[in-house]
Amino acid sequence: MLLFSALRAQELRVAGPDGKLVVNLSLDKGRLYYRVNLAGQEMLELSPLGLRGDKVDLANNLHLVASDSRTIDQKYEEPKIKRRLVHYQANELQCTLENDLKQQLVVIFRVSNNDIAFRYAIPQVGEPANFRVEEEMSGFKFPASTSTFLTAQATAMIGWKKTKPSYEEGYVPDQAMGVASQYGVGYTFPALFHVGSRGWVLLSETGVNGSYCGTKLSEGTKSGFYQIAFPEKGENNGMGDAAPTLALPGFTPWRTITVGSTLKPIVETTVPFDLVEPQYAASKPYTFGRATWSWLEWQDGSINFEDQQKFIDLSAALGYEFVLVDNWWDKQIGHRKIEELAAYGREKGWASAFGTTPTATGTTHHRRLKIG
């Protein structure tokens, strides 16, 4: 049963099916907060919730006007993730809050045995049909005993071909909270925290689409506070606005919190897929495969016709499904020679199929040969 009750005025509680992972929500002077406990151990201390926009403050002077609960019990099959058959069971709490101007914010929490997810729904109240979000107040306050395993977010338009942030930065294991990141603009998801002897917490997001931006974590404080942060100006080649504007009624992406006394739940979680539905039906089934890649061994100089023939031979000999022909294939091999490589693959008993990966500039970066 859903563990949901009004413990006292405007304080709510929701727990996972086995009752060990618990989220407590409370209103204090018009501000909404939550805490997280696992088996009686506090994993996240009092942490804020809410949104703030232009002339719309959904983080202060809030009043609880309604709440509802339900049980989630879903099964799905996905052959491309950690577990093919997934049985997702969780308890959901939905709270509707209102500010002094009667503007509303709906906060939705789902709690399974090791995963917490929350997001916001913004109803359309009155005439305004959109909401420009200037700040997401969602925060994560960790106990003092916590250390971090975080990847620094890079600043915009640096690195190779000005493609950063590319989510390829390093991290410092078991670093103290509050140490400035390499670039000073926060951290990339997923973000792992070691809460001393109590266990582990993994923060991330899922369900991001064109209606909202992908986010990151802010710089942390020495007291252990981190907040959802929006992209830096200049990302995406400077195209678009860093602050999202939601069409109303609208939803934000899910913020996910995976909690475990060991790393086992962190490694095994399927929460990024538990919460989302396909955006569209695939036109054909897509399958995984193994690939050889000349760049790993011979670097940039290997992007030529002869070396790629050798790697086609290698993939064929190993029974692999792919060969990855890396950057500069269009200049160093050329379109006509790529066709010859496909023909060479067919001579090896392959059916040729080309795939492309778009880069930030919209040009083709990789081309693949697939074994039939």
Side-chain angles (χ1 to χ4, degrees):
M1 293 180 61
L2 180 64
L3 296 177
F4 162 69
S5 59
L7 301 182
R8 60 176 186 268
Q10 297 188 322
E11 183 168 332
L12 306 171
R13 179 175 182 264
V14 57
D18 67 5
K20 295 180 180 179
L21 184 59
V22 180
V23 175
N24 290 288
L25 287 87
S26 59
L27 272 170
D28 183 15
K29 298 178 181 178
R31 295 182 179 181
L32 184 63
Y33 298 91
Y34 73 102
R35 294 176 181 266
V36 173
N37 282 268
L38 177 66
Q41 297 281 339
E42 190 167 50
M43 306 300 285
L44 282 178
E45 298 175 354
L46 203 64
S47 302
L49 296 164
L51 300 171
R52 185 181 60 81
D54 182 28
K55 299 178 182 178
V56 180
D57 187 348
L58 298 175
N60 295 286
N61 301 314
L62 297 176
H63 313 279
L64 181 66
V65 296
S67 62
D68 194 13
S69 60
R70 64 174 180 143
T71 299
I72 308 295
D73 193 331
Q74 300 172 340
K75 293 181 180 179
Y76 66 92
E77 182 175 355
E78 178 50 71
K80 301 180 181 67
I81 63 174
K82 300 173 185 177
R83 185 180 298 115
R84 184 183 184 94
L85 298 174
V86 180
H87 188 188
Y88 176 57
Q89 295 176 295
N91 295 319
E92 181 180 282
L93 170 65
Q94 181 171 302
C95 303
T96 301
L97 302 110
E98 196 172 76
N99 63 17
D100 293 339
L101 299 177
K102 304 300 182 182
Q103 297 162 332
Q104 290 188 344
L105 175 71
V106 181
V107 183
I108 304 165
F109 267 88
R110 286 189 185 179
V111 185
S112 61
N113 286 342
N114 286 102
D115 294 299
I116 298 165
F118 68 88
R119 67 174 177 174
Y120 305 103
I122 300 90
Q124 183 176 4
V125 178
E127 184 178 349
N130 59 52
F131 174 38
R132 186 177 188 275
V133 184
E134 295 182 343
E135 185 177 12
E136 184 171 333
M137 312 305 292
S138 307
F140 312 90
K141 176 65 172 65
F142 287 91
S145 59
T146 304
S147 60
T148 71
F149 296 74
L150 302 177
T151 298
Q153 179 87 354
T155 50
M157 301 294 286
I158 64 171
W160 183 80
K161 297 290 185 180
K162 298 183 179 180
T163 54
K164 290 191 177 184
S166 54
Y167 310 99
E168 295 178 342
E169 310 307 312
Y171 66 92
V172 179
D174 254 340
Q175 190 171 50
M177 295 186 296
V179 177
S181 69
Q182 180 180 355
Y183 298 96
V185 293
Y187 299 95
T188 298
F189 285 129
L192 181 64
F193 296 81
H194 188 194
V195 190
S197 61
R198 303 178 191 180
W200 300 80
V201 173
L202 183 73
L203 303 181
S204 195
E205 65 179 356
T206 191
V208 181
N209 57 30
S211 65
Y212 209 83
C213 61
T215 63
K216 59 181 180 177
L217 274 186
S218 70
E219 293 286 298
T221 67
K222 291 184 178 179
S223 63
F225 179 71
Y226 297 79
Q227 186 177 336
I228 292 291
F230 291 157
E232 300 299 309
K233 291 182 178 179
E235 289 188 30
N236 194 32
N237 287 327
M239 296 181 289
D241 193 349
T245 299
L246 281 172
L248 300 181
F251 293 89
T252 66
W254 291 98
R255 311 297 169 214
T256 64
I257 309 169
T258 302
V259 188
S261 56
T262 69
L263 283 170
K264 187 175 187 291
I266 306 295
V267 173
E268 295 182 351
T269 183
T270 58
V271 72
F273 309 95
D274 297 340
L275 301 160
V276 298
E277 298 290 338
Q279 297 287 300
Y280 56 89
S283 60
K284 61 181 180 180
Y286 292 88
T287 58
F288 278 126
R290 298 156 296 178
T292 58
W293 185 20
S294 66
W295 190 90
L296 285 175
E297 295 293 328
W298 299 343
Q299 304 294 300
D300 296 341
S302 69
I303 312 304
N304 61 72
F305 183 84
E306 292 76 16
D307 285 346
Q308 296 312 307
Q309 279 186 317
K310 294 173 183 176
F311 272 79
I312 288 175
D313 293 342
L314 177 59
S315 276
L318 292 171
Y320 282 12
E321 292 80 12
F322 294 93
V323 168
L324 176 60
V325 184
D326 207 342
N327 189 46
W328 299 309
W329 64 267
D330 51 344
K331 295 180 179 179
Q332 296 180 199
I333 298 175
H335 290 260
R336 182 172 297 177
K337 283 289 188 180
I338 283 287
E339 292 177 2
E340 291 184 30
L341 276 179
Y344 183 76
R346 283 193 292 271
E347 293 174 4
K348 294 288 181 178
W350 290 24
S352 65
F354 291 101
T356 59
T357 300
T359 65
T361 58
T363 59
T364 298
H365 188 63
H366 296 317
R367 181 162 284 201
R368 300 175 294 172
L369 287 168
K370 181 179 179 182
I371 294 177

